[in-house]
Amino acid sequence: DVKVTQSSRYLVKRTGEKVFLECVQDMDHENMFWYRQDPGLGLRLIYFSYDVKMKEKGDIPEGYSVSREKKERFSLILESASTNQTSMYLCATRTVKETQYFGPGTRLLVL
Amino acid sequence: DAKTTQPPSMDCAEGRAANLPCNHSTISGNEYVYWYRQIHSQGPQYIIHGLKNNETNEMASLIITEDRKSSTLILPHATLRDTAVYYCIVRGDNAGNMLTFGGGTRLMVKP
């Protein structure tokens, strides 16, 4: 079974803090994704990566950056957290057959 | 991606089969039908996907009509743990990296 793990299930941070969200997958997939999910807005793509050290902006990259130093690990960074970044953050990994597998999510609250 | 239409909610008795319909009348020939579910406060979970033949795995069966304009996800013996929002998604291989979730069907399995 594909396993996608995220570093935290729940996180509370203050405005202006730097926040790191980590995602690790154990299936050697090239493609990894970061989404945020908000009520009424569905899933929105923040960034994705198709190889080590490669990254592409999704639909809402502003305020975020990512890092992919190793194939199995994809990190999402909030350089200076703001209250409008309070959300559920989901990491996903994709097989060559386009099936996306999601991690359990990190619910981030920015005060 | 083709648009999908699902009923907003359904109830099912525990132990009975849950049949979740999805309409995708604008599906094109190279687009697959995917089903995911999301249990409250968790990340989306892949269930099954298919192109035109019926598919079955350890979680569910997928029945796609001959004209491919609709499909049904079948959970053969629903348990309380199957209570979740079920999403039907249609996408092709060239759909890019976005995975767009619509409203889905909220399935309530009742004892």
Side-chain angles (χ1 to χ4, degrees), chain A residues 1 9-10 31 33 35 37 41-45 48 59 88 90 94 97-105 107, chain B residues 32 34 36 38 40-47 49 58 87 91-102:
Chain A
D1 281 350
R9 291 299 308 276
Y10 300 95
N31 301 309
F33 308 82
Y35 295 88
Q37 185 176 32
L41 297 176
L43 280 179
R44 293 183 290 169
L45 182 64
F48 65 96
D59 292 324
M88 168 77 125
L90 291 159
R94 196 175 75 192
K97 291 187 178 180
E98 304 284 326
T99 302
Q100 287 206 355
Y101 294 90
F102 287 82
R107 196 169 286 280
Chain B
Y32 289 75
Y34 284 81
Y36 285 79
Q38 189 167 21
H40 182 63
S41 295
Q42 297 183 23
Q45 178 189 22
Y46 165 79
I47 302 173
H49 76 286
E58 65 279 0
Y87 297 98
R91 68 193 299 262
D93 286 344
N94 61 350
N97 295 291
M98 175 72 82
L99 195 67
T100 304
F101 284 64

Side-chain angles (χ1 to χ4, degrees), chain A residues 43-90:
Chain A
L43 280 179
R44 293 183 290 169
L45 182 64
I46 305 171
Y47 266 96
F48 65 96
S49 168
Y50 51 86
D51 203 350
V52 176
K53 296 194 187 294
M54 306 302 287
K55 59 188 179 187
E56 293 287 344
K57 293 179 181 179
D59 292 324
I60 50 162
E62 296 78 21
Y64 303 93
S65 62
V66 289
S67 172
R68 185 109 181 259
E69 295 297 317
K70 293 184 178 181
K71 193 174 186 181
E72 68 271 17
R73 194 178 296 269
F74 191 36
S75 301
L76 179 70
I77 302 148
L78 287 67
E79 295 290 343
S80 177
S82 62
T83 54
N84 63 11
Q85 291 179 309
T86 291
S87 186
M88 168 77 125
Y89 289 88
L90 291 159

